[in-house]
Amino acid sequence: MRALLHIPESVFQENKLGVQHVMELFKAEHWKELNEIVVSRDHFGAPASKFGEEYWDLSSYVDTKITNKKGIFFSEIASEYLSMEMKLICFYWMYVAGKPRTGPVIKTTTLISRHSKLNQVFKFLDSYAFKSVETLSHPLVFSEFCSYIQNQQYSIGNCEHIFIIVANLRRATGVLPFAFLSPTDQTPKELAKEYAAKDKIKRDQFYAIPTRLMELIYGKALSIVEALHPHRDLIHSLLTDLHDNYLLGKKEVDEKIDSGQWQWLKKGDPAYRIEVSKFKPSKDFEIIESYIQETPLATLAPTNGSKFKGWITNVQTACYVVCAAFTGMRRSELYGLTADSFKTRIFNNQKYYFLQSQHHKMMQGRPQTCEWLTVPIALKAIELAEALSRNMRSQLLIDGDPIRVHISDCLWLNQCRKATFPKVRFEGSLRTHFNQIAKAAGAYITETDLDEFKLINPNCNPQHADEKIQLGKLWPLTSHQCRRSFAVFAKRHDLCSSVAIKQQFKHLDVPTSDWYGEGGLDSKLSYFQLDVELKGFLRDVQHEMVTEKIHDWLNSKDELYGKMGRSIMKERKTTAQIFSSWDHVYGLVKSGKLNLVGTLHSYCLAGYDCQMQKVSSPAACFTCENQLIDKEKAKNWFQRHKWAKEKLLYLDSVGELTASGYSHFVTQIKAAEKVMHHFKIPFSKLKMDGTKYEQI
C-alpha cells in the first residue's frame, strides 16, 4: 500500500481494497497476519513500520523542516485488544477517511495530532479495564469518560479537540468492525465548555508584545544583524575551520580503532569524544582567536569553544527574529526560508521587498510557494543566517540521505555535537535564545507594559497571563508573538487594512485577520481624548460647508443633473425668494431638515439616512430621487466611464466576460454617457461586439 500526500483515484482504490483486507483480518482475529501488514514505507519504498509495531514511523510523509513529530506511539495502552483497535482507527484515518465531509485526503501532521487526542480516549478505556471502544456508547461509561476528562483539568480548546475525535469515531461507524454510538446530543463545543477546567474556559490568544518591549527586543536583534553582517564570510570560514579541525582529530582516532591499535575503545563509547578532542591539531580557542583578533569581532565573540557555539546560535536566533518581526510569517513558513528567499519587485516605479517561502497551512500535498512583504534589513538577516549555516548545510547535502538532503536548504540548523549531523532547530532551542536576546535587551516588564498588555490582548486568559506576565520579570518571547504583534501594530497605526493582513498572513477569510489584530483598534482609540469644544467647532464648520453648497445650487444658474438636481433647477425661480437668505438655509441644515453627503460620483441629499448600498454600482443611484450631480462630480463620471470601458474590453479579450459582468459594466457606461452628454463633456463611445451577450 502507498500513503501519499495527494491520493490519485487509482491509488485511492488500491488503498481501499487494502483497508478492506485489514478489516477482514481484524474481524477474523488473524492477529499474526495483521501484525505483518506494512503501514508506512521509507523514501526508497522499503517497509518502515508494520501494523503490529508499537511505533509507526511516518518520517517519509512529513516535512521534517517544520515538525519534529515524525510518528505515533501505541505503547501507552496496556490492553492488547484496545491497542489493536486504536491502530485500526489510525490506519483507517491514514488511508481512507481523513475528512468524511471534504474527501479522503488527510495530512500526516493531522493524523499525528489526532492520535494524541485519541490516545486520551483509549487511556481512559485502558485505565478502567474496558474491553473495547464500543463500551463508550453506554451513557454511564460516557459520563464517566466526561468526568475523567474534567479531572485532567484541560483547557477548553484541548477538551474540544478530544470530543471532536469522539465525534469522528461516531462517523466511522459502519466502516470499522466495531461501532460507537454517541449517547448525547451535545456538540463537541458544548461538551468542552462543560468539562474543561473552570479557569481555562476562556481561550488564550497568543500575546501581542507591548510597544516598549517590542522595540527593545527587535532593536537588539537588528543591532546584532547590522553589526555582524559585514563579517559573515569571516564567521563562515571560522566555523568551517573548527569543523575541519574536528574531522582531522576524528580521523586520527578512527584509524587507531580500525587498525586494531586501540582495542580498548569503540566509536560509541563516551571516551571516544574525549580522545577525538585530544587529537585535534589545534584547540578551538586558538582557531577562534586567530580569526577574530584585530577585528571588530574581538569585542563581540567569546573565544571559549562552547560559549562561541552558543553565541553563534544566538546570532542565528536574532536573524530569525528579524525575519519573523517584519513579515508576520508562521514558524513553518519561516523554516521554509532559503539562501535565495529575498526578492524585489517594482510596481509603479516603487520598489518592494519580499521573502519567498512555502505555505503549508490548509494545503494538501505539496506546499504552495508564496511571498511575504518585508523590509530591506531582511536581506541582511537572510545573508547572515546563510553564512552561519553554510557549512552545516553542506554536510547534509553531500550525505545523500533523502531526509537530510531535504533539510539541507534550511537556514535554521544547529549542530550541538560535531559527531552528529546538523538538525533543524525547534521551539525549545529558540525559546532559550529568545530569552537571552530579551535579557540582553533589558526587556523587563514594567507597570506601563502591563497596562498596555491588557489593552492590546483583550482575549488573553487572565489566569494564564498573571502567571506568565509579571512585573519585573523578563518578557517570555515566542515565535507566534511576532505574528500577533505585526497584526496589532498594523491596525494600531493604520499601516494596512484587514484585507492586506489577510493577504500577508495567508488567511482564508478576513474575520481571522481581524482576530489577529484584536487590541490594535482599542489601543489606537485610547490615545484620543474627547474635546467637546473642538467637536462643536468641527460640527459648525460642517454645517457651514453644506449650507454653502446647497445655497449655491439654489441661487446660481449652474447645470445640475440627477432627479434632485433637475428638481432644484426647475424650482429655482419659485424658491429664490425663500432660499436666497444664507442664514435661512443654514438654519434648515443645522436643524437637520436639509442634509448632504458626497459620494465618489454624486451628492445625496438624503444625508446619512441613505445606507449607501448602491454606491459600488453608481448607475443604481439614477433611480434615487435624492441624487444630485454638479460639474465637479461630472468629472468623476468621466473617469468612471473610462475605467468601466477598459475593464469590459479586458475581460472580453481574455474570455472571462459573462452576461452578468457585461450588464454590470454597460449600465455604468451608459449612465456615465448620460451625465457627460448633459454637461457637454467630450467622450468616445464603447465599441464592441455585444451580440453574444445579453443586451441592456
Side-chain angles (χ1 to χ4, degrees):
M1 298 179 69
R2 292 177 286 166
L4 305 179
L5 292 176
H6 177 70
I7 306 179
E9 184 62 27
S10 59
V11 178
F12 174 63
Q13 292 300 327
E14 175 190 333
N15 287 350
K16 191 174 181 180
L17 293 173
V19 170
Q20 289 175 353
H21 177 58
V22 168
M23 299 297 176
E24 291 169 0
L25 291 176
F26 188 95
K27 289 178 184 177
E29 298 187 357
H30 293 167
W31 308 127
K32 186 175 181 181
E33 186 178 350
L34 179 60
N35 287 337
E36 293 300 313
I37 295 290
V38 174
V39 295
S40 65
R41 297 181 181 276
D42 61 21
H43 285 87
F44 303 103
S49 303
K50 295 182 179 180
F51 194 96
E53 295 175 355
E54 294 300 306
Y55 174 73
W56 289 3
D57 182 2
L58 306 175
S59 57
S60 298
Y61 310 117
V62 296
D63 188 342
T64 51
K65 283 195 292 188
I66 65 172
T67 179
N68 58 347
K69 296 178 180 179
K70 305 172 185 177
I72 51 181
F73 289 91
F74 302 95
S75 53
E76 293 186 68
I77 310 303
S79 168
E80 185 176 346
Y81 188 83
L82 283 175
S83 178
M84 295 294 280
E85 279 192 345
M86 187 176 176
K87 290 177 182 178
L88 192 65
I89 293 169
C90 291
F91 187 85
Y92 168 73
W93 283 340
M94 185 174 179
Y95 285 102
V96 180
K99 295 181 180 178
R101 288 177 294 177
T102 58
V105 180
I106 183 172
K107 292 167 68 172
T108 308
T109 50
T110 304
L111 171 65
I112 294 172
S113 176
R114 283 188 179 187
H115 166 268
S116 67
K117 309 307 177 188
L118 182 67
N119 200 37
Q120 300 303 314
V121 178
F122 276 86
K123 282 171 71 175
F124 160 76
L125 296 170
D126 195 37
S127 63
Y128 282 80
F130 290 120
K131 295 182 179 180
S132 171
V133 73
E134 290 182 328
T135 57
L136 205 59
S137 304
H138 195 284
L140 291 178
V141 177
F142 190 80
S143 177
E144 192 67 34
F145 170 69
C146 292
S147 298
Y148 171 84
I149 295 299
Q150 189 174 36
N151 292 335
Q152 304 303 310
Q153 292 291 291
Y154 290 135
S155 67
I156 189 169
N158 209 350
C159 278
E160 186 175 349
H161 286 135
I162 292 172
F163 286 116
I164 286 173
I165 290 302
V166 174
N168 283 339
L169 293 179
R170 183 179 66 248
R171 287 196 290 267
T173 299
V175 180
L176 295 172
F178 41 83
F180 166 69
L181 301 174
S182 178
T184 179
D185 294 330
Q186 289 178 284
T187 65
K189 185 175 289 187
E190 292 170 342
L191 288 167
K193 191 172 183 179
E194 183 176 349
Y195 295 107
K198 297 306 177 185
D199 61 337
K200 300 176 183 178
I201 291 295
K202 185 175 181 180
R203 296 179 184 273
D204 200 11
Q205 189 178 22
F206 283 99
Y207 301 149
I209 312 170
T211 304
R212 189 188 70 86
L213 298 173
M214 180 176 65
E215 290 176 349
L216 287 172
I217 295 170
Y218 290 1
K220 185 61 182 178
L222 286 168
S223 66
I224 292 173
V225 171
E226 289 281 12
L228 297 177
H229 178 263
H231 312 291
R232 61 190 184 281
D233 290 328
L234 176 66
I235 296 173
H236 161 67
S237 298
L238 169 54
L239 292 172
T240 302
D241 273 9
L242 286 172
H243 187 258
D244 290 344
N245 186 53
Y246 167 81
L247 292 178
L248 290 172
K250 181 178 183 298
K251 182 180 178 182
E252 288 284 338
V253 175
D254 287 350
E255 286 178 353
K256 293 182 181 296
I257 294 174
D258 294 339
S259 66
Q261 183 178 352
W262 280 8
Q263 296 185 4
W264 59 273
L265 182 66
K266 294 182 180 179
K267 294 180 181 180
D269 293 347
Y272 177 80
R273 181 173 59 86
I274 298 173
E275 293 300 323
V276 170
S277 181
K278 289 179 181 178
F279 277 85
K280 287 192 294 188
S282 303
K283 300 296 183 183
D284 285 351
F285 77 89
E286 294 173 346
I287 297 175
I288 296 170
E289 284 182 346
S290 68
Y291 271 90
I292 70 173
Q293 61 186 355
E294 299 181 1
T295 74
L297 291 179
T299 58
L300 299 174
T303 56
N304 177 274
S306 59
K307 290 183 178 179
F308 180 79
K309 189 186 300 180
W311 178 78
I312 289 293
T313 307
N314 214 45
V315 174
Q316 188 185 63
T317 306
C319 298
Y320 180 95
V321 170
V322 170
C323 293
F326 295 105
T327 60
M329 296 169 76
R330 300 179 179 92
R331 187 181 65 84
S332 62
E333 294 157 354
L334 289 164
Y335 273 71
L337 293 174
T338 62
D340 61 346
S341 282
F342 189 86
K343 309 290 182 183
T344 58
R345 300 279 188 277
I346 296 178
F347 298 111
N348 298 326
N349 297 321
Q350 177 70 40
K351 195 172 186 179
Y352 294 91
Y353 307 92
F354 298 89
L355 287 183
Q356 190 178 83
S357 183
Q358 301 293 317
H359 169 46
H360 299 262
K361 191 74 171 180
M362 305 301 292
M363 298 297 298
Q364 298 289 358
R366 292 182 181 275
Q368 181 181 359
T369 299
C370 295
E371 292 180 339
W372 287 258
L373 196 67
T374 189
V375 292
I377 187 65
L379 174 60
K380 292 184 178 180
I382 291 289
E383 289 179 343
L384 180 55
E386 185 279 327
L388 297 176
S389 62
R390 194 181 303 165
N391 180 263
M392 290 184 282
R393 289 183 289 111
S394 297
Q395 296 176 48
L396 296 171
L397 188 61
I398 63 177
D399 177 66
D401 181 273
I403 295 180
R404 294 195 181 109
V405 171
H406 173 69
I407 66 173
S408 64
D409 61 351
C410 181
L411 300 177
W412 321 112
L413 300 173
N414 199 2
Q415 193 171 18
C416 297
R417 296 175 55 196
K418 293 185 178 66
T420 60
F421 279 100
K423 296 180 180 178
V424 176
R425 294 179 62 192
F426 288 101
E427 193 70 18
S429 169
L430 285 172
R431 289 195 182 188
T432 299
H433 291 274
F434 283 159
N435 290 339
Q436 290 183 14
I437 291 176
K439 187 174 182 180
Y444 292 94
I445 301 168
T446 65
E447 286 282 4
T448 306
D449 299 326
L450 286 175
D451 292 340
E452 187 181 352
F453 172 81
K454 294 173 184 177
L455 184 64
I456 64 177
N457 293 284
N459 300 313
C460 71
N461 186 316
Q463 288 85 355
H464 287 180
D466 290 343
E467 292 176 6
K468 297 177 181 178
I469 313 299
Q470 297 180 5
L471 183 65
K473 297 291 185 180
L474 195 66
W475 177 263
L477 183 67
T478 64
S479 290
H480 215 74
Q481 287 176 12
C482 297
R483 186 171 172 85
R484 263 276 289 145
S485 301
F486 186 103
V488 170
F489 192 83
K491 282 280 189 180
R492 187 176 193 172
H493 298 282
D494 288 327
L495 297 179
C496 58
S497 65
S498 295
V499 175
I501 294 175
K502 173 184 176 294
Q503 175 65 24
Q504 179 78 356
F505 281 15
K506 310 300 180 275
H507 284 152
L508 293 178
D509 50 45
V510 173
T512 303
S513 303
D514 287 334
W515 167 256
Y516 269 75
E518 282 279 347
L521 186 59
D522 293 340
S523 61
K524 176 184 174 182
L525 294 176
S526 69
Y527 289 101
F528 290 92
Q529 294 182 351
L530 182 63
D531 189 324
V532 178
E533 185 178 350
L534 177 61
K535 185 178 179 181
F537 175 73
L538 292 173
R539 185 170 55 246
D540 291 342
V541 171
Q542 182 184 13
H543 288 160
E544 290 174 6
M545 292 174 64
V546 171
T547 301
E548 194 67 38
K549 272 285 183 187
I550 296 177
H551 183 265
D552 184 58
W553 290 333
L554 290 167
N555 294 279
S556 71
K557 295 182 179 180
D558 293 342
E559 287 289 327
L560 302 175
Y561 195 64
K563 285 193 175 182
M564 179 58 72
R566 286 177 170 178
S567 176
I568 288 176
M569 289 177 67
K570 288 180 182 179
E571 301 294 329
R572 273 175 177 166
K573 291 182 180 180
T574 58
T575 61
Q577 293 179 349
I578 303 174
F579 293 103
S580 60
S581 169
W582 191 94
D583 291 333
H584 179 67
V585 176
Y586 181 77
L588 293 173
V589 170
K590 194 171 182 179
S591 65
K593 293 179 180 179
L594 283 178
N595 204 347
L596 173 68
V597 170
T599 67
L600 294 174
H601 52 80
S602 309
Y603 287 104
C604 180
L605 269 74
Y608 284 105
D609 291 336
C610 175
Q611 297 180 357
M612 304 295 169
Q613 294 175 343
K614 300 176 180 178
V615 170
S616 60
S617 182
C621 287
F622 266 68
T623 60
C624 177
E625 62 184 10
N626 294 297
Q627 185 192 40
L628 184 149
I629 303 169
D630 60 8
K631 287 184 179 180
E632 196 64 31
K633 288 293 185 182
K635 296 176 183 178
N636 295 337
W637 281 97
F638 175 79
Q639 296 298 329
R640 189 76 181 187
H641 183 266
K642 180 182 177 183
W643 171 83
K645 273 177 52 181
E646 292 175 351
K647 192 71 175 177
L648 186 65
L649 293 171
Y650 169 75
L651 291 174
D652 186 49
S653 67
V654 297
E656 294 184 3
L657 184 60
T658 62
S660 60
Y662 178 82
S663 173
H664 174 73
F665 288 111
V666 166
T667 52
Q668 295 185 58
I669 291 169
K670 289 188 175 182
E673 289 177 351
K674 289 179 181 179
V675 175
M676 292 185 292
H677 176 75
H678 181 82
F679 286 98
K680 298 180 174 57
I681 299 175
F683 65 91
S684 57
K685 288 191 174 183
L686 172 68
K687 294 179 180 179
M688 67 175 294
D689 180 14
T691 57
K692 56 184 176 179
Y693 306 112
E694 180 184 354
Q695 297 301 304
I696 305 303

